[in-house]
């Protein structure tokens, strides 16, 4: 029989376990600061129109920090699949937007200039010589001028 | 285009830095974050960065307490900040910011799980999901059977209780006075809900040991 612990004693053990076993990941704040340092395209926050996509179906190789692979992100009415391939120090991103549309695609990597392209009519896009690192993708939907879909960061 | 707009923000910020003291300086807790929020609404982007830097651990623990794995929890941290950036002018009660963050995080965590892309917390999930750059704490830190049992018991609690107890841990620290204020948790006081969660934890912990 375990000796009775007061609420405070039990909570201090919980606090220790939370701190030691489940601290916020190193770099959490830095990556969040990077993710929000986006060019919203407009100076007035009243006019900002963007949606945050969710990552899904990260293959084992594509789990954050694990290197290249197939990744997918989506919002309600747009799904984007990307395949990341290493090319020396850099990488190539092959992507496919569904539904297809000639949308602008931007890749932001920490400490590097933004790489951008436009998808073809079939929704396919290719970005080469993309630096590796903490990465955020943005889709600028030209048909709806003020709409941007962007992702949480992923380490590629 | 990117650099032009970002330079624009920086120029505004630098001007303000040079000409005045930041309105949140010297404040703490809810007053500090309310002052930051008001500054963001007035166009000072550096105030937003202060909020991200100081309150990301709060958002992280709420996401974890609501059953998200570490990777999904970090996604939600960024999603919540982007949501705040987008809706910042709609927050008419700056002093309610911590509460807004907690509610928004909870809702986003539920949404992620309904989509099936989040994973339910399991005891060995930490080791499996941690990025390779993260130290893997499981084996180094668990000091024995008691720690293992308490940690397992903690994860059997309802999400509401896991969230509340994680917030209690945060609220006990000086830098998270805003959390205590948002939850109406004066330091050292145990409210009835928290009392029930602690009792549930104690029962699970002792039950696990077979005593």
């Amino acid at each position: 029989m375990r000796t009775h612990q007061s609420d405070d004693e039990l909570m201090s053990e919980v606090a220790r376990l939370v701190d030691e076993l489940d601290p916020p990941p190193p770099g959490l704040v830095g990556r969040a600061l990077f993710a929000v340092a986006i060019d919203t395209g407009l100076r007035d926050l009243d006019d900002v129109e963007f949606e945050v996509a969710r990552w899904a179906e990260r293959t084992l190789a594509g789990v954050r920090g694990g290197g290249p692979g197939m990744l997918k992100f989506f919002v309600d009415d747009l799904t984007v699949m990307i395949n990341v391939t290493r090319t020396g120090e850099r990488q190539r991103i092959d992507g496919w937007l569904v539904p297809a549309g000639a949308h602008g695609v931007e890749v932001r990597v920490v400490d590097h200039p933004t790489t951008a392209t436009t998808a073809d009519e079939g929704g396919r896009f290719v970005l080469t010589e993309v630096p590796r690192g903490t990465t955020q993708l943005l889709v600028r939907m030209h048909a709806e001028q003020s709409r941007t879909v962007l992702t949480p960061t992923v380490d590629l | 285009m990117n650099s032009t707009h970002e330079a624009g923000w920086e120029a505004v910020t630098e001007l303000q830095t040079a000409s005045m003291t930041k309105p949140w300086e010297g404040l703490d807790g809810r007053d500090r974050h309310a002052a930051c929020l008001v500054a963001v609404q007035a166009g000072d982007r550096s105030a937003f960065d202060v909020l991200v830097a100081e309150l990301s651990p709060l958002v992280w623990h709420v996401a974890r307490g609501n059953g998200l794995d570490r990777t999904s929890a970090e996604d939600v941290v960024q999603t919540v900040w982007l949501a705040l950036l987008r809706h910042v002018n709609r927050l008419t009660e700056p002093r309610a910011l911590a509460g807004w963050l907690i509610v928004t995080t909870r809702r986003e965590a539920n949404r992620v799980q309904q989509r099936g892309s989040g994973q339910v917390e399991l005891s060995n999930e930490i080791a499996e999901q941690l990025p390779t750059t993260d130290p893997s704490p499981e084996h180094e830190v668990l000091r024995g059977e008691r720690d293992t049992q308490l940690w397992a018991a903690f994860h059997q609690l309802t999400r509401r209780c896991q969230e509340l107890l994680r917030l209690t841990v945060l609220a006990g620290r000086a830098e998270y006075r805003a959390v205590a204020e948002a939850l109406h948790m004066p330091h050292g006081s145990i409210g009835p809900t928290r009392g029930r969660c602690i009792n549930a934890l104690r029962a699970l912990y002792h039950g696990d040991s077979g005593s």
Side-chain angles (χ1 to χ4, degrees):
Chain A
M1 190 76 179
R2 202 163 272 136
T3 52
H4 179 76
Q5 288 174 299
S6 72
D7 286 356
D8 284 348
E9 285 166 348
L10 192 58
M11 278 310 298
S12 72
E13 285 196 34
V14 168
R16 178 176 60 80
L17 290 180
V18 166
D19 280 347
E20 293 179 349
L21 297 180
D22 196 23
L28 176 79
V29 168
R31 287 186 295 270
L33 288 171
F34 174 74
V36 301
I38 44 166
D39 171 22
T40 54
L42 296 160
R43 294 292 290 282
D44 185 347
L45 287 172
D46 277 334
D47 296 329
V48 174
E49 189 60 52
F50 56 83
E51 280 173 74
V52 188
R54 295 190 183 85
W55 287 106
E57 293 181 20
R58 277 181 251 196
T59 63
L60 248 167
V63 167
R64 181 172 282 138
M70 281 289 291
L71 299 170
K72 177 171 132 179
F73 61 90
F74 61 92
V75 291
D76 286 342
D77 57 351
L78 177 75
T79 298
V80 183
M81 276 155 283
I82 61 167
N83 189 30
V84 183
T85 326
R86 288 273 155 81
T87 51
E89 289 301 299
R90 303 238 158 178
Q91 49 199 2
R92 170 190 166 106
I93 297 178
D94 290 273
W96 185 25
L97 303 159
V98 181
H103 306 308
V105 178
E106 293 174 19
V107 178
R108 297 178 68 223
V109 181
V110 166
D111 295 334
H112 291 280
T114 299
T115 314
T117 189
T118 303
D120 66 22
E121 302 271 301
R124 295 195 179 266
F125 61 91
V126 181
L127 291 149
T128 57
E129 298 295 305
V130 179
R132 284 156 62 174
T134 297
T135 303
Q136 179 182 46
L137 285 96
L138 294 87
V139 179
R140 309 250 186 213
M141 304 186 72
H142 295 317
E144 303 148 78
Q145 289 189 348
S146 61
R147 186 173 175 216
T148 297
V149 172
L150 49 85
T151 69
T153 62
V154 61
D155 280 355
L156 294 178
Chain B
M1 188 167 117
N2 216 0
S3 54
T4 313
H5 284 289
E6 279 168 12
W9 271 109
E10 279 162 21
V12 170
T13 305
E14 277 166 23
L15 195 66
Q16 286 172 344
T17 307
S19 62
M20 66 184 82
T21 311
K22 296 293 189 182
W24 59 87
E25 275 174 26
L27 300 177
D28 61 8
R30 184 154 52 181
D31 295 338
R32 176 178 176 84
H33 299 135
C36 285
L37 190 68
V38 169
V40 176
Q41 289 171 335
D44 185 348
R45 190 73 170 255
S46 72
F48 195 82
D49 289 354
V50 172
L51 293 174
V52 171
E54 295 184 3
L55 293 175
S56 284
L58 163 66
V59 178
W60 157 265
H61 279 293
V62 174
R64 289 287 287 154
N66 281 275
L68 296 186
D69 64 55
R70 290 174 62 92
T71 302
S72 299
E74 177 157 359
D75 287 351
V76 165
V77 168
Q78 295 182 12
T79 300
V80 166
W81 288 123
L82 286 162
L84 178 63
L85 186 63
R86 184 176 165 192
H87 298 305
V88 70
N89 288 329
R90 291 192 212 162
L91 269 77
T92 52
E93 296 285 344
R95 291 174 60 77
L97 175 64
W100 184 92
L101 289 171
I102 291 167
V103 170
T104 304
T105 304
R106 211 180 272 160
R107 193 167 38 206
E108 184 59 27
N110 290 339
R111 202 177 289 163
V112 168
Q113 284 174 326
Q114 279 163 14
R115 287 294 201 148
S117 49
Q119 289 173 15
V120 176
E121 171 78 358
L122 298 170
S123 57
N124 60 359
E125 166 269 344
I126 290 173
E128 287 174 4
Q129 293 294 326
L130 273 182
T132 49
T133 51
D134 243 3
S136 177
E138 187 98 63
H139 306 293
E140 296 164 21
V141 187
L142 283 176
R143 290 184 187 164
E145 202 184 344
R146 293 188 44 171
D147 278 0
T148 309
Q149 285 174 356
L150 180 56
W151 195 233
F154 181 76
H155 288 100
Q156 289 168 40
L157 289 170
T158 62
R159 285 181 190 170
R160 183 80 189 97
C161 279
Q162 287 188 44
E163 181 197 295
L164 191 59
L165 294 185
R166 280 175 185 265
L167 291 178
T168 302
V169 169
L170 279 186
R173 294 173 191 157
E175 66 267 36
Y176 289 100
R177 218 184 81 188
V179 176
E181 288 166 347
L183 301 172
H184 306 292
M185 277 182 186
H187 185 68
S189 92
I190 304 278
T193 310
R194 233 175 343 152
R196 278 195 293 277
C197 291
I198 293 172
N199 286 338
L201 176 64
R202 186 181 287 113
L204 286 163
Y205 181 32
H206 288 203
D208 271 358
S209 69
S211 59

